Amino acid sequence: MVRRQSPERRSSYGAHSPVVGEQGGRTRQRIVETSLALFRKHGFDETRVDDIVAEIGASRSTFYQYFESK
């Protein structure tokens, strides 16, 4: 049996990383803007992370790559 090496994954930025690159910065900004709009519309407590990521077409793991929590 031949074992294939899995492709190397890029490291996570982490919720507190100041370095995310240009695309990462745009993604982080989209999450912030979308979150604030949903908080205004539904309230903080009624807005779920799933609501935020569904709105921008991303995954929960993407959200948590940029933010530690809601």
Side-chain angles (χ1 to χ4, degrees):
M1 180 171 138
V2 176
R3 296 186 82 186
R4 285 196 257 169
Q5 284 185 309
S6 60
E8 285 196 34
R9 300 179 73 190
R10 68 175 168 77
S11 61
S12 173
Y13 298 126
H16 301 292
S17 175
V19 180
V20 295
E22 189 176 323
Q23 182 175 349
R26 286 192 305 266
T27 300
R28 181 183 278 174
Q29 188 60 36
R30 284 181 53 221
I31 293 170
V32 168
E33 290 171 1
T34 300
S35 298
L36 293 174
L38 290 172
F39 295 161
R40 282 190 296 273
K41 184 174 182 179
H42 303 290
F44 180 84
D45 291 333
E46 296 301 317
T47 301
R48 301 173 309 145
V49 170
D50 288 336
D51 300 328
I52 297 165
V53 297
E55 188 75 21
I56 65 169
S59 67
R60 287 175 62 87
S61 59
T62 297
F63 179 92
Y64 288 113
Q65 184 171 9
Y66 295 97
F67 298 96
E68 193 172 301
S69 66
K70 180 176 79 164

